[in-house]
Amino acid sequence: MKKTKWLMSIGLLVLLGGVIGAEPIDKTPTDRGSLVKLKAEGRQIVTADAEKKPVVLRGVVFTSGVWFYTNENPSAASLANVRFMQSEADIRRISRWGANVITFYMNYYWFENEEGYQFMDQVLDWCRRANVYIIPSLTVYPIGGLRGGREFFASPEARDQLNRFWAQFANRYRGRPEIAGYDILNEPMGTSVSDIVDYQQKLIDTIRKADPETIIFIEPMWGNPKDFKIIRRPNLVYNAHYYEPFYFTSQGWPWMYSGGVPTGLSYPDTQGEMIAELKPTNGKNGSYLPLIRPGTYDWQPYTVTEKAPPKTEYAYLKLFSNGDSGATLWFDQVEYSIDGSPYQLLPNGSFEERNPVSNDPLLWEQYQAGKGFLYRTDALAKDGKYSICIQNPSGWSHFGNYHEYGWLGTLSAIRIAPGQKLSIRFWVKGKNVSANKNGLILYFCRAQKEVYTKAEMERDMKRLLISFSERNNIPIFIGEFTPPIQGKRPDIIDYICDAVGYWNDRHISWTFYHYRDVGEWYMGIYNGPMGVPTEKCREDTELRKTLQGLFIY
């Protein structure tokens, strides 16, 4: 379809208007012809028959309730608790939109008995009847939980368990034409890139003994295309989770940078306000200040003052304990002053606001190496109700108001100019505190900003996706992408149209993240309470109609 027709289709769908709640379901059978097995050939996905007809997969992600899983409460993501997240009506609904695939997230623990396989049998039957392909994606790993993590990759037992699972899964479902491919590890993390690739090769070889024909989807660490590595095996598709630029796509998400990325960002950004990176101006390790006094004592104030170096725009801090294993420290009332102005509270410097997706304080991330405990507590506080606590840390532990792996959370930052004097005041209550092991690290940094329009988007996609595909003659699949639903409009809709338009023009397959959310509405076409079917959920009608236009491109 020419691009003009594609834009007309989106415009028509949006003009049709919408209502709150899922659109009605037409229960008459779909008619797109029967599904056939697929395979990867060169840079394309094609039918695995004599015709070798190119196939472009376009659809949505069904998260299937896997994000309810926690290591403390794994049963929250049991089959009994997540069945409401999908039904045959949901599969038929997206088929009517013009979608032809779902990525379907799975929990390893569903399959510890036959019930999980019977559930999967049912989902596959739904897809076949609706003429929709499915990509089963293993998201909850044995032992490690979501995405595996260090616990999984450090455990030979867990690795063997997952290897046996994929052997059994592939043996049971080989030959099923509705399975577009197996996504063997969703966003693997917790070890090195090379270790992930080595383990993926082992899983591929195991699956091929049971099923030599079905495509296998390969994800890099965290799904990030920057970490793509080629695996010398046939019939693979490389699965990228595309969230560039991250400052735009992560705005307002409480699980990213501890909720510190502001909302209301523009796309296209022609003014050069998009932050690509924050770079330190006082050294990558900051100013290390182990100033907290030894002993046991009630609340005491501490103050530090530093001059902002040249080019500085922002300041951040960490409250730390460097392996003071017998100590317990409570921190509260973190305030700042610039050039002697009256002290004011740091954003959530009293720790009263909780991150809605964890028990941590909003805008603060925590890190722990070794044993011990870090937590937000209402057991005591200098002012208000809450404080934060570091208890019996055997190794380095801290609370920081920036994210350890990327300084993009500018909501928590202190804005400051070069040459200005920054004073930080905070309160500490200590028990069995040692000398020279606890204190504050102060970081100054500058922002590297850039214009970000459709041209920069296409530049990044060429660099991260197309070049890898062309260089290795392999197909790319975009397994996840979304801007934040609470972002500014029409900006997030423009972002979706530009991104998907680029992929559609180049016949790149994709699935939008995601079909429905539960609780706070951060992403997803639908949102509703636990246990409620999609028909009774709220619908983002503008988003749904935009995607419909892109499905029928």
Side-chain angles (χ1 to χ4, degrees), residues 48 56 70 78 201 256 431 498-499 507 536:
V56 180
T70 65
S78 67
Q201 289 176 335
M256 295 307 306
K431 180 180 179 182
D498 284 352
H507 311 292
K536 298 181 180 180

Side-chain angles (χ1 to χ4, degrees), residues 92-369:
R92 286 187 174 275
R93 179 176 294 111
I94 65 107
S95 178
R96 293 294 172 191
W97 296 346
N100 64 357
V101 68
I102 64 169
T103 297
F104 190 82
Y105 287 178
M106 300 189 304
N107 179 347
Y108 166 85
Y109 294 104
W110 295 345
F111 300 95
E112 289 189 308
N113 55 54
E114 181 63 18
E115 182 186 10
Y117 288 101
Q118 290 175 355
F119 171 68
M120 201 68 208
D121 294 344
Q122 184 181 50
V123 174
L124 293 177
D125 289 344
W126 295 341
C127 289
R128 187 183 66 254
R129 289 196 289 264
N131 279 305
V132 170
Y133 285 104
I134 181 172
I135 303 168
S137 179
L138 198 285
T139 308
V140 177
Y141 300 29
I143 297 179
L146 291 165
R147 306 185 185 92
R150 286 181 298 226
E151 294 83 356
F152 171 80
F153 282 102
S155 170
E157 177 188 359
R159 291 184 184 223
D160 288 345
Q161 285 175 338
L162 190 53
N163 194 54
R164 290 193 298 271
F165 162 77
W166 275 117
Q168 186 171 346
F169 193 93
N171 184 65
R172 183 178 182 118
Y173 296 119
R174 63 184 177 184
R176 295 288 295 250
E178 60 271 26
I179 296 181
Y182 309 123
D183 185 20
I184 54 178
L185 296 176
N186 187 311
E187 293 190 347
M189 59 85 176
T191 188
S192 66
V193 171
S194 60
D195 190 26
I196 289 170
V197 171
D198 289 345
Y199 184 62
Q200 286 172 327
Q201 289 176 335
K202 179 178 180 179
L203 293 179
I204 292 166
D205 294 342
T206 293
I207 289 170
R208 287 293 176 242
K209 293 175 184 177
D211 182 353
E213 297 179 350
T214 302
I215 290 172
I216 296 175
F217 286 78
I218 298 298
E219 294 191 29
M221 179 183 287
W222 283 106
N224 189 336
K226 296 175 183 177
D227 288 320
F228 266 142
K229 301 295 179 185
I230 196 69
I231 295 178
R232 302 297 176 186
R233 301 288 192 277
N235 208 19
L236 304 182
V237 172
Y238 289 78
N239 183 349
H241 291 185
Y242 198 82
Y243 291 98
E244 298 290 332
F246 215 41
Y247 192 65
F248 180 78
T249 61
S250 63
Q251 55 183 304
W253 289 349
W255 60 92
M256 295 307 306
Y257 308 114
S258 305
V261 179
T263 57
L265 303 177
S266 297
Y267 175 86
D269 173 14
T270 59
Q271 303 302 311
E273 293 301 313
M274 197 73 72
I275 295 180
E277 187 178 3
L278 293 176
K279 295 190 173 183
T281 58
N282 66 330
K284 67 178 182 179
N285 296 321
S287 298
Y288 181 82
L289 304 166
L291 73 166
I292 293 178
R293 292 182 285 274
T296 297
Y297 42 80
D298 205 352
W299 292 104
Q300 295 183 359
Y302 292 84
T303 302
V304 298
T305 300
E306 295 258 331
K307 185 177 180 180
K311 300 183 179 180
T312 295
E313 296 176 73
Y314 298 97
Y316 295 87
L317 59 87
K318 287 179 184 175
L319 302 167
F320 74 85
S321 178
N322 191 2
D324 195 359
S325 59
T328 302
L329 299 104
W330 293 265
F331 299 87
D332 203 1
Q333 289 301 104
V334 186
E335 302 170 304
Y336 72 97
S337 166
I338 296 176
D339 286 343
S341 64
Y343 276 94
Q344 56 183 306
L345 199 64
L346 199 71
N348 201 26
S350 62
F351 312 107
E352 297 299 303
E353 293 182 79
R354 184 183 69 86
N355 191 315
V357 298
S358 72
N359 289 319
D360 298 331
L362 188 67
L363 304 180
W364 293 82
E365 62 98 18
Q366 60 171 273
Y367 175 85
Q368 180 180 9

Side-chain angles (χ1 to χ4, degrees), residues 42-111:
R43 297 176 59 206
Q44 294 182 313
I45 298 173
V46 301
T47 57
D49 53 17
E51 292 185 34
K52 295 184 179 179
K53 181 180 177 181
V55 174
V56 180
L57 301 171
R58 301 185 183 116
V60 294
V61 175
F62 278 58
T63 57
S64 320
V66 296
W67 302 125
F68 305 154
Y69 182 97
T70 65
N71 290 332
E72 296 75 24
N73 186 20
S75 64
S78 67
L79 274 179
N81 289 332
V82 303
R83 285 183 181 273
F84 74 94
M85 289 288 288
Q86 56 279 307
S87 68
E88 185 166 11
D90 294 310
I91 308 298
R92 286 187 174 275
R93 179 176 294 111
I94 65 107
S95 178
R96 293 294 172 191
W97 296 346
N100 64 357
V101 68
I102 64 169
T103 297
F104 190 82
Y105 287 178
M106 300 189 304
N107 179 347
Y108 166 85
Y109 294 104
W110 295 345
F111 300 95

Side-chain angles (χ1 to χ4, degrees), residues 370-395:
K371 297 179 180 179
F373 304 93
L374 287 83
Y375 51 92
R376 172 177 176 262
T377 177
D378 61 357
L380 52 86
K382 171 64 177 68
D383 192 23
K385 187 177 179 181
Y386 289 92
S387 64
I388 55 174
C389 182
I390 301 177
Q391 182 178 4
N392 300 326
S394 65

